[in-house]
Amino acid sequence: MTSTLFSELQSLLATHGQEHLLAHWDSLSPTHQDQLAKQIRRIDFGLLAKLRQTHDQPQKSSSSVTNAVAPPAVPIELCGTTRSQELRALGNQTLESGKVGMILVAGGQGTRLGFGHAKGLFPIGPISDRPLFQVLIDHLIAVRNRYHTAIPLFVMTSPATHEETVEFLAAHDRFGLPEDDLFLFCQGTMPVLDSRTGQILLEQRDRLCLSPDGHGGILEAFARTGCLAEAARRGIEHLFYAQIDNPLVQVCDPWLIGCHLQANSEMTTQVIRKQAPLERVGNVVSIDGRLQIIEYSDLSADSAHQTAPDGTLKLWAGNIGVHIFQRQFLERMAVSNDGLQFHQALKQTAYCDRQGRHVTPTQPNAIKFEKFIFDLLPAAQNAIVVEASRNTSFAPVKNADGEPKDTPAEAKQRMLDLYANWVAAAKIQMAENTQIEINPRFALDAQELASRIPPGHCFSGNVYLGPDRSFETSPAQGPAHPQ
C-alpha cells in the first residue's frame, strides 16, 4: 500500500515539478505519510501555476493609481443633523427586526505583539484586562440587549488559532453570548512557494508549509462551512464585518447601518481621515467611477502626498476594516468566477530543506498568497463610503509596546479618552488622575451612562464599570435607543 501510494504521489508531483515533497518519505511513519499525502492531494496545482506566472506583476497598474481620486463619502459632519437622526432610526428598525448578523475576523496570531497565542486572547481592557474577544463580544451583547434581538456572531479563525479559540471561548462561556448564536469557522490555506524556484516549501518532513489565505478567504470559507446558508436560514439580510484587533469597533452601529440601507448598498465601507500621507492603511479611492482600495505598499510617495486645493490630502480615506455586506451580494460573489483574486507577498519563511534541516532565512525567501475582502468593492452595486472618527472608531493593536504606533498602550489610552469624554458629556464628576473603563454592557454611550449614575456621584481612582456594577440610587433607565 505504501509503495502504491508513493508511486501515485510521485507521478502526480512529477507532472508539476514538485517531486521534492517526497524527499523524506522513507523516514516517515505510515501515519505521517498519510498526513503528507492528504495535504498533497488538496493542492490546486493549476491555480499555483497560474499564480506563479503572474508573480511580480503589479496588483494595480500605475495608470489606474494615477487616475485615483478621493471617494464620494458620507461625511462625519452629517452626524447630529436631522438627516442623521432619520438614518439612525432606519438602522434601529433593522436591528430590532433581527435582520443583522456580525462577522468577526480573528485568524491572526499575536506574533508582532510578542504574544504567543491567538490575537483575540490578548488583554486590552485598560483597567479590566479584558481580552479583545471579550471587548467585542461585550459590545455585541450590549447592542443585542438594547434592541431586544438576537445578532448571531460568525467568527473566522485560521488553522493556527482555531482550536485555541474554540477552547478559550468555551472556557469563558462565550462571555455571555448564547451558544446557538456563535459560529466558528476556519479559513483556508495556500501552499508557500520558494521565490526563486517556485517549488512548494516543506515546513517539516511530513508537512507542507501553508499560510492562511487572507481575510478575503472568508468568502469561500463562509459558504463552504454552511455559515452563509445559516445566515439565510435565520433571515439575516445584512452582515456587519470587523477585525479582532480593533477594540474601538462601533459594533453594528445603527448610523452606519442606516447609511448602508438608505443607499441600497451591497457593500458599505467605513473610513477615517489619514493622519499622514504614508500611513499604513489601505487607501479607499474611486477609479473610473468604481470604489477600490489601494494598499499603502502599492501607492507611490508622489501619489500619497498629493493635496486638494484646500491643502488636505487628495487621497484621504483610510480603510479600517469595517464593512457591511448585503447577504445576497456575498451569495452571488461566492459562486462568481469574478470573485476575489490572490495577492502575492514576498516573506521571510522558515522551512525544511532536502536534507531535512530546519532553515531560518535572514532575507525574504518565499511567496505567500492572500485574498483581501475589500477587493469585492468594485463588484458591489451602489457601494458607499462612510466617514468615522478615528478617536471613537479606530485603535488598532498590531505592534508591541515601544513601537512607534498601533500599540496596546496607544489603544488603551484611546479607550480611556473615549470613556472620559462620555463622563464629561454625562456631566458626571471624576476626581483628578481618575481613569475609567466602561463596559458597553453597563453603558453604550454617554446618555445611557448618565441614566445609570446617581446625581452627585464622584468617581476616584481607577474605575471599571462592568455589566454587574450597580448603584443604590440609580435613576430610571433612559430610552431603549436614544436618537
Side-chain angles (χ1 to χ4, degrees), residues 9-11 13-23 199 354:
L9 295 174
Q10 188 178 47
S11 176
L13 293 172
T15 304
H16 304 286
Q18 303 284 353
E19 304 98 310
H20 67 286
L21 296 179
L22 299 177
Q199 291 188 325
R354 288 177 179 267

Side-chain angles (χ1 to χ4, degrees), residues 328-409:
Q328 291 182 342
F329 172 60
L330 294 182
E331 289 173 341
R332 187 175 80 243
M333 297 310 297
V335 298
S336 170
N337 291 327
D338 300 323
L340 299 175
Q341 303 300 310
F342 278 103
H343 295 250
Q344 305 180 28
L346 188 62
K347 299 288 186 178
Q348 187 173 321
T349 305
Y351 64 96
C352 176
D353 69 10
R354 288 177 179 267
Q355 287 71 46
R357 297 172 301 195
H358 190 74
V359 180
T360 303
T362 57
Q363 299 292 329
N365 65 304
I367 303 169
K368 292 187 176 182
F369 302 99
E370 289 184 306
K371 292 180 178 180
F372 300 148
I373 192 66
F374 53 67
D375 282 342
L376 289 177
L377 264 175
Q381 298 298 313
N382 305 320
I384 63 168
V385 172
V386 180
E387 184 184 357
S389 165
R390 179 188 297 263
N391 291 336
T392 62
S393 304
F394 190 51
V397 181
K398 296 184 179 297
N399 304 312
D401 284 334
E403 294 295 319
K405 63 176 305 181
D406 297 344
T407 63

